[in-house]
Amino acid sequence: MRFALDVAAATPPGDVPVGAVIYDAAGHVLATGVNRREERRDPTAHAEVEAIRAAVKELGDSWRLTDCEVVVTLEPCAMCAGALVGARIGSIVFGAWEPKTGACGSLVEVPRAPGSLHVPQVRGGVLEAECAQLLADFFSGRRGPASGH
């Protein structure tokens, strides 16, 4: 998670600082991603989706991330959780809980949806205070509700 926090620090100005790291089965970094919605004017450019795209490109021969783990500083939203399940990610580890949009237990639980063809392991709250502080620092002084994605 500390590396994911470092990755989040590279988020472009104006984008919500979220960092995602995908590790391969041997524990090596396969790919990273940060939020780039504002920078790219792309509503799908969340850290997790960016990391998935980079990981499958790195693998070159498959879109399946079955033996991989994603570590992300914020609980994935429904889109990101769905993309991770669709990519057959082995496990999801996240830092801060997101009660407004979180889809790994806070608001809904996409990875354990009825009828899901793939159910990754999920663990939340890892270095939660540090991950939440990153967001609090970003949103301090800004107007409007704080939303991680």
Side-chain angles (χ1 to χ4, degrees), residues 10-56:
T11 302
D15 273 295
V16 177
V18 176
V21 181
I22 296 179
Y23 294 92
D24 66 15
H28 299 112
V29 173
L30 185 60
T32 63
V34 297
N35 277 351
R36 295 185 181 280
R37 283 189 324 175
E38 299 301 327
E39 178 188 68
R40 294 192 179 152
R41 299 183 186 344
D42 177 356
T44 68
H46 290 197
E48 300 92 328
V49 173
E50 294 291 302
I52 290 168
R53 289 175 178 156
V56 298

mmCIF file of all heavy atoms in Angstrom, residues 10-56:
data_model
loop_
_atom_site.group_PDB
_atom_site.id
_atom_site.type_symbol
_atom_site.label_atom_id
_atom_site.label_comp_id
_atom_site.label_asym_id
_atom_site.label_seq_id
_atom_site.Cartn_x
_atom_site.Cartn_y
_atom_site.Cartn_z
ATOM 1 N N ALA A 10 1.669 10.804 -7.994
ATOM 2 C CA ALA A 10 1.934 11.181 -9.387
ATOM 3 C C ALA A 10 0.655 11.517 -10.160
ATOM 4 O O ALA A 10 0.699 11.745 -11.366
ATOM 5 C CB ALA A 10 2.687 10.056 -10.093
ATOM 6 N N THR A 11 -0.482 11.568 -9.466
ATOM 7 C CA THR A 11 -1.744 11.917 -10.116
ATOM 8 C C THR A 11 -1.642 13.333 -10.670
ATOM 9 O O THR A 11 -1.169 14.232 -9.974
ATOM 10 C CB THR A 11 -2.910 11.827 -9.106
ATOM 11 O OG1 THR A 11 -2.958 10.506 -8.570
ATOM 12 C CG2 THR A 11 -4.245 12.153 -9.763
ATOM 13 N N PRO A 12 -2.086 13.540 -11.912
ATOM 14 C CA PRO A 12 -2.022 14.888 -12.487
ATOM 15 C C PRO A 12 -2.816 15.898 -11.654
ATOM 16 O O PRO A 12 -3.828 15.544 -11.045
ATOM 17 C CB PRO A 12 -2.672 14.717 -13.864
ATOM 18 C CG PRO A 12 -2.586 13.266 -14.173
ATOM 19 C CD PRO A 12 -2.652 12.567 -12.854
ATOM 20 N N PRO A 13 -2.385 17.151 -11.649
ATOM 21 C CA PRO A 13 -3.111 18.191 -10.914
ATOM 22 C C PRO A 13 -4.571 18.260 -11.363
ATOM 23 O O PRO A 13 -4.862 18.146 -12.550
ATOM 24 C CB PRO A 13 -2.373 19.477 -11.292
ATOM 25 C CG PRO A 13 -1.017 19.027 -11.737
ATOM 26 C CD PRO A 13 -1.213 17.671 -12.348
ATOM 27 N N GLY A 14 -5.462 18.393 -10.382
ATOM 28 C CA GLY A 14 -6.887 18.489 -10.687
ATOM 29 C C GLY A 14 -7.616 17.167 -10.639
ATOM 30 O O GLY A 14 -8.832 17.131 -10.514
ATOM 31 N N ASP A 15 -6.886 16.060 -10.763
ATOM 32 C CA ASP A 15 -7.508 14.737 -10.649
ATOM 33 C C ASP A 15 -7.425 14.272 -9.199
ATOM 34 O O ASP A 15 -6.467 14.580 -8.492
ATOM 35 C CB ASP A 15 -6.808 13.725 -11.555
ATOM 36 C CG ASP A 15 -7.368 13.715 -12.961
ATOM 37 O OD1 ASP A 15 -8.550 13.344 -13.102
ATOM 38 O OD2 ASP A 15 -6.644 14.076 -13.907
ATOM 39 N N VAL A 16 -8.431 13.527 -8.765
ATOM 40 C CA VAL A 16 -8.457 13.001 -7.400
ATOM 41 C C VAL A 16 -7.295 12.018 -7.247
ATOM 42 O O VAL A 16 -7.148 11.092 -8.041
ATOM 43 C CB VAL A 16 -9.798 12.302 -7.103
ATOM 44 C CG1 VAL A 16 -9.796 11.702 -5.706
ATOM 45 C CG2 VAL A 16 -10.947 13.283 -7.259
ATOM 46 N N PRO A 17 -6.432 12.209 -6.233
ATOM 47 C CA PRO A 17 -5.251 11.360 -6.083
ATOM 48 C C PRO A 17 -5.587 9.944 -5.611
ATOM 49 O O PRO A 17 -5.875 9.712 -4.442
ATOM 50 C CB PRO A 17 -4.404 12.104 -5.055
ATOM 51 C CG PRO A 17 -5.400 12.858 -4.228
ATOM 52 C CD PRO A 17 -6.513 13.225 -5.185
ATOM 53 N N VAL A 18 -5.569 9.027 -6.549
ATOM 54 C CA VAL A 18 -5.766 7.608 -6.268
ATOM 55 C C VAL A 18 -4.683 6.863 -7.014
ATOM 56 O O VAL A 18 -4.433 7.138 -8.195
ATOM 57 C CB VAL A 18 -7.162 7.119 -6.725
ATOM 58 C CG1 VAL A 18 -7.307 5.611 -6.510
ATOM 59 C CG2 VAL A 18 -8.262 7.864 -5.979
ATOM 60 N N GLY A 19 -4.048 5.923 -6.328
ATOM 61 C CA GLY A 19 -3.010 5.115 -6.960
ATOM 62 C C GLY A 19 -3.385 3.644 -6.929
ATOM 63 O O GLY A 19 -3.927 3.164 -5.937
ATOM 64 N N ALA A 20 -3.124 2.960 -8.031
ATOM 65 C CA ALA A 20 -3.383 1.521 -8.124
ATOM 66 C C ALA A 20 -2.115 0.828 -8.625
ATOM 67 O O ALA A 20 -1.443 1.335 -9.530
ATOM 68 C CB ALA A 20 -4.535 1.241 -9.081
ATOM 69 N N VAL A 21 -1.820 -0.315 -8.029
ATOM 70 C CA VAL A 21 -0.662 -1.111 -8.427
ATOM 71 C C VAL A 21 -1.140 -2.540 -8.630
ATOM 72 O O VAL A 21 -1.834 -3.088 -7.767
ATOM 73 C CB VAL A 21 0.444 -1.096 -7.340
ATOM 74 C CG1 VAL A 21 1.653 -1.910 -7.790
ATOM 75 C CG2 VAL A 21 0.843 0.324 -6.989
ATOM 76 N N ILE A 22 -0.776 -3.142 -9.754
ATOM 77 C CA ILE A 22 -1.092 -4.546 -9.993
ATOM 78 C C ILE A 22 0.197 -5.341 -9.903
ATOM 79 O O ILE A 22 1.186 -5.025 -10.579
ATOM 80 C CB ILE A 22 -1.788 -4.758 -11.349
ATOM 81 C CG1 ILE A 22 -3.146 -4.036 -11.350
ATOM 82 C CG2 ILE A 22 -1.971 -6.262 -11.636
ATOM 83 C CD1 ILE A 22 -3.932 -4.156 -12.638
ATOM 84 N N TYR A 23 0.167 -6.335 -9.031
ATOM 85 C CA TYR A 23 1.309 -7.228 -8.823
ATOM 86 C C TYR A 23 1.046 -8.557 -9.507
ATOM 87 O O TYR A 23 -0.081 -9.060 -9.482
ATOM 88 C CB TYR A 23 1.521 -7.473 -7.322
ATOM 89 C CG TYR A 23 1.946 -6.240 -6.566
ATOM 90 C CD1 TYR A 23 1.004 -5.410 -5.970
ATOM 91 C CD2 TYR A 23 3.291 -5.910 -6.454
ATOM 92 C CE1 TYR A 23 1.398 -4.270 -5.282
ATOM 93 C CE2 TYR A 23 3.690 -4.767 -5.768
ATOM 94 C CZ TYR A 23 2.737 -3.954 -5.185
ATOM 95 O OH TYR A 23 3.125 -2.832 -4.504
ATOM 96 N N ASP A 24 2.089 -9.160 -10.072
ATOM 97 C CA ASP A 24 1.935 -10.476 -10.683
ATOM 98 C C ASP A 24 2.015 -11.551 -9.609
ATOM 99 O O ASP A 24 2.177 -11.255 -8.416
ATOM 100 C CB ASP A 24 2.948 -10.697 -11.809
ATOM 101 C CG ASP A 24 4.405 -10.767 -11.337
ATOM 102 O OD1 ASP A 24 4.678 -10.927 -10.122
ATOM 103 O OD2 ASP A 24 5.288 -10.660 -12.217
ATOM 104 N N ALA A 25 1.922 -12.802 -10.011
ATOM 105 C CA ALA A 25 1.905 -13.926 -9.066
ATOM 106 C C ALA A 25 3.174 -14.006 -8.228
ATOM 107 O O ALA A 25 3.150 -14.499 -7.099
ATOM 108 C CB ALA A 25 1.684 -15.229 -9.821
ATOM 109 N N ALA A 26 4.287 -13.504 -8.752
ATOM 110 C CA ALA A 26 5.558 -13.540 -8.023
ATOM 111 C C ALA A 26 5.739 -12.322 -7.116
ATOM 112 O O ALA A 26 6.748 -12.210 -6.421
ATOM 113 C CB ALA A 26 6.718 -13.635 -9.013
ATOM 114 N N GLY A 27 4.758 -11.414 -7.131
ATOM 115 C CA GLY A 27 4.845 -10.240 -6.280
ATOM 116 C C GLY A 27 5.583 -9.072 -6.903
ATOM 117 O O GLY A 27 5.906 -8.102 -6.222
ATOM 118 N N HIS A 28 5.850 -9.152 -8.207
ATOM 119 C CA HIS A 28 6.517 -8.055 -8.907
ATOM 120 C C HIS A 28 5.474 -7.095 -9.466
ATOM 121 O O HIS A 28 4.392 -7.514 -9.871
ATOM 122 C CB HIS A 28 7.374 -8.604 -10.052
ATOM 123 C CG HIS A 28 8.441 -9.525 -9.601
ATOM 124 N ND1 HIS A 28 8.425 -10.864 -9.889
ATOM 125 C CD2 HIS A 28 9.546 -9.305 -8.846
ATOM 126 C CE1 HIS A 28 9.478 -11.437 -9.349
ATOM 127 N NE2 HIS A 28 10.181 -10.513 -8.706
ATOM 128 N N VAL A 29 5.831 -5.825 -9.516
ATOM 129 C CA VAL A 29 4.921 -4.821 -10.072
ATOM 130 C C VAL A 29 4.746 -5.087 -11.564
ATOM 131 O O VAL A 29 5.712 -5.130 -12.321
ATOM 132 C CB VAL A 29 5.458 -3.394 -9.850
ATOM 133 C CG1 VAL A 29 4.593 -2.370 -10.576
ATOM 134 C CG2 VAL A 29 5.520 -3.073 -8.356
ATOM 135 N N LEU A 30 3.508 -5.308 -11.943
ATOM 136 C CA LEU A 30 3.156 -5.522 -13.346
ATOM 137 C C LEU A 30 2.756 -4.200 -13.990
ATOM 138 O O LEU A 30 3.122 -3.912 -15.127
ATOM 139 C CB LEU A 30 2.012 -6.540 -13.436
ATOM 140 C CG LEU A 30 1.568 -7.006 -14.799
ATOM 141 C CD1 LEU A 30 2.708 -7.680 -15.547
ATOM 142 C CD2 LEU A 30 0.397 -7.979 -14.658
ATOM 143 N N ALA A 31 2.007 -3.370 -13.252
ATOM 144 C CA ALA A 31 1.527 -2.101 -13.800
ATOM 145 C C ALA A 31 1.054 -1.193 -12.679
ATOM 146 O O ALA A 31 0.741 -1.650 -11.580
ATOM 147 C CB ALA A 31 0.385 -2.357 -14.769
ATOM 148 N N THR A 32 0.982 0.094 -12.990
ATOM 149 C CA THR A 32 0.443 1.083 -12.061
ATOM 150 C C THR A 32 -0.551 1.962 -12.814
ATOM 151 O O THR A 32 -0.568 1.990 -14.048
ATOM 152 C CB THR A 32 1.549 1.980 -11.463
ATOM 153 O OG1 THR A 32 2.162 2.730 -12.507
ATOM 154 C CG2 THR A 32 2.591 1.154 -10.720
ATOM 155 N N GLY A 33 -1.358 2.674 -12.056
ATOM 156 C CA GLY A 33 -2.297 3.616 -12.652
ATOM 157 C C GLY A 33 -2.685 4.676 -11.647
ATOM 158 O O GLY A 33 -2.661 4.435 -10.440
ATOM 159 N N VAL A 34 -3.029 5.837 -12.162
ATOM 160 C CA VAL A 34 -3.559 6.933 -11.352
ATOM 161 C C VAL A 34 -4.802 7.469 -12.048
ATOM 162 O O VAL A 34 -5.012 7.221 -13.240
ATOM 163 C CB VAL A 34 -2.531 8.078 -11.151
ATOM 164 C CG1 VAL A 34 -1.309 7.586 -10.383
ATOM 165 C CG2 VAL A 34 -2.134 8.703 -12.475
ATOM 166 N N ASN A 35 -5.610 8.206 -11.308
ATOM 167 C CA ASN A 35 -6.774 8.843 -11.920
ATOM 168 C C ASN A 35 -6.315 9.856 -12.960
ATOM 169 O O ASN A 35 -5.405 10.647 -12.705
ATOM 170 C CB ASN A 35 -7.614 9.559 -10.857
ATOM 171 C CG ASN A 35 -8.564 8.628 -10.146
ATOM 172 O OD1 ASN A 35 -8.740 7.481 -10.522
ATOM 173 N ND2 ASN A 35 -9.203 9.131 -9.106
ATOM 174 N N ARG A 36 -6.962 9.824 -14.115
ATOM 175 C CA ARG A 36 -6.645 10.761 -15.193
ATOM 176 C C ARG A 36 -7.917 11.269 -15.876
ATOM 177 O O ARG A 36 -7.905 11.643 -17.039
ATOM 178 C CB ARG A 36 -5.734 10.100 -16.225
ATOM 179 C CG ARG A 36 -4.377 9.731 -15.685
ATOM 180 C CD ARG A 36 -3.456 9.189 -16.762
ATOM 181 N NE ARG A 36 -2.167 8.823 -16.223
ATOM 182 C CZ ARG A 36 -1.172 9.668 -15.945
ATOM 183 N NH1 ARG A 36 -1.341 10.964 -16.138
ATOM 184 N NH2 ARG A 36 -0.033 9.241 -15.459
ATOM 185 N N ARG A 37 -9.035 11.254 -15.128
ATOM 186 C CA ARG A 37 -10.309 11.694 -15.718
ATOM 187 C C ARG A 37 -10.252 13.117 -16.230
ATOM 188 O O ARG A 37 -10.670 13.400 -17.349
ATOM 189 C CB ARG A 37 -11.455 11.585 -14.699
ATOM 190 C CG ARG A 37 -11.954 10.194 -14.488
ATOM 191 C CD ARG A 37 -13.209 10.158 -13.649
ATOM 192 N NE ARG A 37 -13.225 11.170 -12.589
ATOM 193 C CZ ARG A 37 -14.244 11.400 -11.800
ATOM 194 N NH1 ARG A 37 -15.358 10.718 -11.938
ATOM 195 N NH2 ARG A 37 -14.196 12.307 -10.863
ATOM 196 N N GLU A 38 -9.786 14.008 -15.414
ATOM 197 C CA GLU A 38 -9.737 15.421 -15.801
ATOM 198 C C GLU A 38 -8.693 15.636 -16.891
ATOM 199 O O GLU A 38 -8.964 16.315 -17.883
ATOM 200 C CB GLU A 38 -9.448 16.307 -14.585
ATOM 201 C CG GLU A 38 -10.493 16.218 -13.491
ATOM 202 C CD GLU A 38 -11.890 16.608 -13.946
ATOM 203 O OE1 GLU A 38 -12.021 17.488 -14.830
ATOM 204 O OE2 GLU A 38 -12.857 16.034 -13.424
ATOM 205 N N GLU A 39 -7.538 15.062 -16.708
ATOM 206 C CA GLU A 39 -6.453 15.230 -17.676
ATOM 207 C C GLU A 39 -6.865 14.740 -19.071
ATOM 208 O O GLU A 39 -6.602 15.397 -20.070
ATOM 209 C CB GLU A 39 -5.217 14.458 -17.211
ATOM 210 C CG GLU A 39 -4.051 14.549 -18.187
ATOM 211 C CD GLU A 39 -2.915 13.630 -17.818
ATOM 212 O OE1 GLU A 39 -3.085 12.396 -17.898
ATOM 213 O OE2 GLU A 39 -1.854 14.158 -17.462
ATOM 214 N N ARG A 40 -7.524 13.591 -19.129
ATOM 215 C CA ARG A 40 -7.902 13.001 -20.416
ATOM 216 C C ARG A 40 -9.336 13.313 -20.833
ATOM 217 O O ARG A 40 -9.747 12.915 -21.905
ATOM 218 C CB ARG A 40 -7.707 11.488 -20.355
ATOM 219 C CG ARG A 40 -6.256 11.118 -20.214
ATOM 220 C CD ARG A 40 -6.029 9.661 -20.448
ATOM 221 N NE ARG A 40 -4.605 9.397 -20.326
ATOM 222 C CZ ARG A 40 -4.101 8.249 -19.961
ATOM 223 N NH1 ARG A 40 -4.891 7.237 -19.701
ATOM 224 N NH2 ARG A 40 -2.801 8.098 -19.882
ATOM 225 N N ARG A 41 -10.088 13.929 -19.917
ATOM 226 C CA ARG A 41 -11.513 14.171 -20.166
ATOM 227 C C ARG A 41 -12.205 12.852 -20.537
ATOM 228 O O ARG A 41 -12.971 12.762 -21.498
ATOM 229 C CB ARG A 41 -11.710 15.232 -21.244
ATOM 230 C CG ARG A 41 -11.125 16.577 -20.859
ATOM 231 C CD ARG A 41 -11.362 17.619 -21.863
ATOM 232 N NE ARG A 41 -10.781 18.929 -21.729
ATOM 233 C CZ ARG A 41 -10.245 19.555 -20.715
ATOM 234 N NH1 ARG A 41 -10.183 18.986 -19.561
ATOM 235 N NH2 ARG A 41 -9.760 20.771 -20.791
ATOM 236 N N ASP A 42 -11.901 11.850 -19.722
ATOM 237 C CA ASP A 42 -12.370 10.484 -19.954
ATOM 238 C C ASP A 42 -12.953 9.943 -18.650
ATOM 239 O O ASP A 42 -12.218 9.728 -17.683
ATOM 240 C CB ASP A 42 -11.202 9.605 -20.415
ATOM 241 C CG ASP A 42 -11.566 8.147 -20.625
ATOM 242 O OD1 ASP A 42 -12.716 7.742 -20.344
ATOM 243 O OD2 ASP A 42 -10.681 7.391 -21.072
ATOM 244 N N PRO A 43 -14.265 9.708 -18.598
ATOM 245 C CA PRO A 43 -14.876 9.239 -17.352
ATOM 246 C C PRO A 43 -14.433 7.841 -16.932
ATOM 247 O O PRO A 43 -14.648 7.450 -15.792
ATOM 248 C CB PRO A 43 -16.373 9.272 -17.659
ATOM 249 C CG PRO A 43 -16.457 9.138 -19.138
ATOM 250 C CD PRO A 43 -15.237 9.841 -19.681
ATOM 251 N N THR A 44 -13.800 7.096 -17.824
ATOM 252 C CA THR A 44 -13.333 5.750 -17.462
ATOM 253 C C THR A 44 -11.869 5.738 -17.020
ATOM 254 O O THR A 44 -11.351 4.680 -16.657
ATOM 255 C CB THR A 44 -13.496 4.761 -18.634
ATOM 256 O OG1 THR A 44 -12.587 5.101 -19.687
ATOM 257 C CG2 THR A 44 -14.919 4.730 -19.133
ATOM 258 N N ALA A 45 -11.211 6.866 -17.012
ATOM 259 C CA ALA A 45 -9.779 6.924 -16.692
ATOM 260 C C ALA A 45 -9.532 6.952 -15.188
ATOM 261 O O ALA A 45 -8.859 7.836 -14.665
ATOM 262 C CB ALA A 45 -9.126 8.116 -17.388
ATOM 263 N N HIS A 46 -10.070 5.953 -14.497
ATOM 264 C CA HIS A 46 -9.809 5.780 -13.067
ATOM 265 C C HIS A 46 -8.505 5.001 -12.898
ATOM 266 O O HIS A 46 -8.085 4.284 -13.809
ATOM 267 C CB HIS A 46 -10.939 5.000 -12.407
ATOM 268 C CG HIS A 46 -12.222 5.767 -12.309
ATOM 269 N ND1 HIS A 46 -13.239 5.389 -11.472
ATOM 270 C CD2 HIS A 46 -12.661 6.889 -12.937
ATOM 271 C CE1 HIS A 46 -14.245 6.231 -11.586
ATOM 272 N NE2 HIS A 46 -13.925 7.143 -12.478
ATOM 273 N N ALA A 47 -7.891 5.112 -11.740
ATOM 274 C CA ALA A 47 -6.603 4.471 -11.474
ATOM 275 C C ALA A 47 -6.634 2.971 -11.752
ATOM 276 O O ALA A 47 -5.715 2.424 -12.368
ATOM 277 C CB ALA A 47 -6.186 4.732 -10.024
ATOM 278 N N GLU A 48 -7.696 2.299 -11.323
ATOM 279 C CA GLU A 48 -7.774 0.849 -11.499
ATOM 280 C C GLU A 48 -7.862 0.469 -12.973
ATOM 281 O O GLU A 48 -7.207 -0.474 -13.421
ATOM 282 C CB GLU A 48 -8.997 0.277 -10.766
ATOM 283 C CG GLU A 48 -9.004 0.533 -9.275
ATOM 284 C CD GLU A 48 -9.735 1.806 -8.871
ATOM 285 O OE1 GLU A 48 -9.737 2.794 -9.629
ATOM 286 O OE2 GLU A 48 -10.308 1.816 -7.764
ATOM 287 N N VAL A 49 -8.672 1.196 -13.729
ATOM 288 C CA VAL A 49 -8.825 0.907 -15.159
ATOM 289 C C VAL A 49 -7.512 1.184 -15.889
ATOM 290 O O VAL A 49 -7.090 0.409 -16.757
ATOM 291 C CB VAL A 49 -9.997 1.712 -15.758
ATOM 292 C CG1 VAL A 49 -10.067 1.551 -17.267
ATOM 293 C CG2 VAL A 49 -11.314 1.282 -15.113
ATOM 294 N N GLU A 50 -6.857 2.269 -15.539
ATOM 295 C CA GLU A 50 -5.560 2.583 -16.140
ATOM 296 C C GLU A 50 -4.555 1.465 -15.843
ATOM 297 O O GLU A 50 -3.789 1.067 -16.724
ATOM 298 C CB GLU A 50 -5.043 3.918 -15.605
ATOM 299 C CG GLU A 50 -5.887 5.111 -16.020
ATOM 300 C CD GLU A 50 -5.783 5.419 -17.500
ATOM 301 O OE1 GLU A 50 -4.662 5.665 -17.977
ATOM 302 O OE2 GLU A 50 -6.824 5.421 -18.187
ATOM 303 N N ALA A 51 -4.554 0.967 -14.619
ATOM 304 C CA ALA A 51 -3.635 -0.119 -14.248
ATOM 305 C C ALA A 51 -3.979 -1.418 -14.978
ATOM 306 O O ALA A 51 -3.081 -2.132 -15.432
ATOM 307 C CB ALA A 51 -3.646 -0.324 -12.735
ATOM 308 N N ILE A 52 -5.261 -1.729 -15.098
ATOM 309 C CA ILE A 52 -5.668 -2.933 -15.834
ATOM 310 C C ILE A 52 -5.183 -2.846 -17.277
ATOM 311 O O ILE A 52 -4.611 -3.808 -17.815
ATOM 312 C CB ILE A 52 -7.201 -3.121 -15.804
ATOM 313 C CG1 ILE A 52 -7.681 -3.502 -14.411
ATOM 314 C CG2 ILE A 52 -7.641 -4.182 -16.823
ATOM 315 C CD1 ILE A 52 -9.197 -3.415 -14.235
ATOM 316 N N ARG A 53 -5.421 -1.721 -17.919
ATOM 317 C CA ARG A 53 -5.005 -1.550 -19.324
ATOM 318 C C ARG A 53 -3.501 -1.747 -19.470
ATOM 319 O O ARG A 53 -3.034 -2.399 -20.404
ATOM 320 C CB ARG A 53 -5.426 -0.171 -19.826
ATOM 321 C CG ARG A 53 -6.917 -0.039 -20.013
ATOM 322 C CD ARG A 53 -7.312 1.369 -20.397
ATOM 323 N NE ARG A 53 -8.756 1.453 -20.628
ATOM 324 C CZ ARG A 53 -9.459 2.554 -20.523
ATOM 325 N NH1 ARG A 53 -8.868 3.703 -20.199
ATOM 326 N NH2 ARG A 53 -10.766 2.551 -20.745
ATOM 327 N N ALA A 54 -2.731 -1.171 -18.557
ATOM 328 C CA ALA A 54 -1.275 -1.304 -18.613
ATOM 329 C C ALA A 54 -0.833 -2.740 -18.332
ATOM 330 O O ALA A 54 0.092 -3.244 -18.961
ATOM 331 C CB ALA A 54 -0.623 -0.338 -17.620
ATOM 332 N N ALA A 55 -1.507 -3.405 -17.402
ATOM 333 C CA ALA A 55 -1.131 -4.777 -17.039
ATOM 334 C C ALA A 55 -1.360 -5.746 -18.193
ATOM 335 O O ALA A 55 -0.494 -6.577 -18.490
ATOM 336 C CB ALA A 55 -1.912 -5.236 -15.804
ATOM 337 N N VAL A 56 -2.513 -5.661 -18.835
ATOM 338 C CA VAL A 56 -2.774 -6.601 -19.936
ATOM 339 C C VAL A 56 -1.868 -6.302 -21.122
ATOM 340 O O VAL A 56 -1.460 -7.216 -21.842
ATOM 341 C CB VAL A 56 -4.264 -6.670 -20.341
ATOM 342 C CG1 VAL A 56 -5.109 -7.175 -19.186
ATOM 343 C CG2 VAL A 56 -4.781 -5.342 -20.828
#
